[in-house]
Amino acid sequence: MIKNLNKLGAIGETAVALELLKKGYDVININYSFQNYKNADLVCMNPETGKSVMIQVKTGTTHNILTGFTSELDGTIPNIDTSFIGPWVFVYIPKENYSEMKFYILSKDEVKELITSSNHWYVTEWNRELKSKPIVGVNVEWLEGNNQPGKSTQKYTYPEYQNPLGSHSLNGQKIAEDRWDKIEDLLR
């Protein structure tokens, strides 16, 4: 089990780079030059068109993949409007079983909408008082386009989360899983 988050992140970045290399693209991991470059991890280039795109990779082994953002107690996320420069790839490794690794690709607009709406739901719509600024995560089920059912316990009550990605489905096609076309379209 990998406990070092930097190593887990490197595994995810390497796996995404490998997938893109198999598709014929050139890939540079910019973290090799800049220690944890802000807002992007990989630069992917199409050698035929000369176009390139910067990609952010987030990797997790639980159903809640951390985004690198911390929310204010009022639900706002500092610098959210300037933090997205390209698509994001969420890499989910269930219980660190690398043969079951899954890739969820979101456009920069999709990931911003998902992070903003889910954080607003978590911070403002739960019937409880936050005592510290929450770290913003994205649930794997949300990446699959599912809503979060409402729940009531002795500690808190929250309504259903209406996932904005659920409306992004095209003719039964998966919303984010293995949607490499969201990167490929930018490289054409």
Side-chain angles (χ1 to χ4, degrees):
M1 176 152 106
I2 296 179
K3 296 185 191 265
N4 182 309
L5 292 179
N6 289 333
K7 286 183 181 178
L8 185 64
I11 289 168
E13 292 163 7
T14 302
V16 171
L18 180 60
E19 291 297 316
L20 293 166
L21 286 166
K22 290 190 302 190
K23 294 176 178 303
Y25 300 111
D26 296 331
V27 182
I28 298 170
N29 187 327
I30 54 181
N31 288 325
Y32 294 150
S33 299
F34 299 96
Q35 184 69 23
N36 200 13
Y37 186 80
K38 190 173 182 173
N39 303 337
D41 296 304
L42 305 174
V43 177
C44 182
M45 296 157 287
N46 184 336
E48 294 176 10
T49 65
K51 291 185 178 180
S52 63
V53 64
M54 296 180 86
I55 301 167
Q56 179 74 354
V57 179
K58 295 295 180 184
T59 306
T61 58
T62 69
H63 279 270
N64 187 40
I65 301 176
L66 300 180
T67 64
F69 290 106
T70 301
S71 172
E72 297 295 329
L73 292 176
D74 67 359
T76 59
I77 302 172
N79 304 317
I80 189 105
D81 291 324
T82 58
S83 296
F84 302 97
I85 58 176
W88 283 37
V89 180
F90 290 90
V91 181
Y92 172 57
I93 308 169
K95 296 181 184 169
E96 297 189 24
N97 183 345
Y98 298 101
S99 64
E100 294 181 23
M101 189 179 295
K102 291 185 177 185
F103 302 95
Y104 298 94
I105 299 93
L106 297 178
S107 71
K108 66 181 181 178
D109 293 334
E110 289 173 327
V111 76
K112 179 181 176 187
E113 184 178 15
L114 180 63
I115 288 172
T116 302
S117 70
S118 64
N119 186 65
H120 174 41
W121 168 77
Y122 178 75
V123 172
T124 64
E125 295 184 28
W126 287 41
N127 186 19
R128 51 126 166 77
E129 187 175 320
L130 291 174
K131 302 210 185 303
S132 62
K133 296 178 181 181
I135 297 171
V136 181
V138 170
N139 195 302
V140 172
E141 284 78 15
W142 300 341
L143 294 169
E144 294 173 348
N146 299 321
N147 293 332
Q148 179 80 33
K151 187 175 183 179
S152 185
T153 68
Q154 288 182 344
K155 288 178 100 175
Y156 49 75
T157 299
Y158 59 85
E160 178 180 29
Y161 169 59
Q162 294 292 319
N163 185 346
L165 295 181
S167 63
H168 293 208
S169 168
L170 299 170
N171 302 327
Q173 185 177 18
K174 292 182 179 179
I175 292 168
E177 188 176 353
D178 293 326
R179 290 294 307 276
W180 298 103
D181 59 293
K182 293 181 184 182
I183 294 172
E184 294 174 307
D185 288 348
L186 298 171
L187 296 169
R188 288 192 174 100

